[in-house]
Amino acid sequence: MGERLKVFGIVTLLGFMAGIIADLTATHVIPWLMTILPAFLSARYLLSGLAGAFLTLVLVSVWAYITGPSEP
């Protein structure tokens, strides 16, 4: 039971951090990217998709690093 609660706690913490990163991305990074990228790349859905892909990559990498390899 303790391991399950630890996993839930880690997932909750990662979700909280993802929410903070998503908010900062939406308010600062996406408007900045929209000013520097060409018009065909400034579609908000495309930039949101790129931000989501990056966040997912970071979160999965952090999760894999925290959990480490499972030994039998």
Side-chain angles (χ1 to χ4, degrees), residues 49-64:
L50 290 173
F54 179 74
L55 278 173
T56 302
L57 179 65
V58 168
L59 289 175
V60 169
S61 298
V62 168
W63 174 72

Side-chain angles (χ1 to χ4, degrees), residues 33-43:
L33 284 176
M34 290 178 79
T35 60
I36 64 169
L37 292 176
F40 68 94
L41 288 179
S42 67

Side-chain angles (χ1 to χ4, degrees), residues 4-50:
R4 182 174 287 186
L5 288 176
K6 186 190 298 185
V7 170
F8 282 137
I10 290 171
V11 169
T12 302
L13 182 62
L14 288 175
F16 181 76
M17 292 187 323
I20 292 171
I21 293 169
D23 181 59
L24 290 174
T25 300
T27 56
H28 299 291
V29 176
I30 290 178
W32 174 72
L33 284 176
M34 290 178 79
T35 60
I36 64 169
L37 292 176
F40 68 94
L41 288 179
S42 67
R44 189 162 179 93
Y45 68 89
L46 182 62
L47 292 174
S48 296
L50 290 173

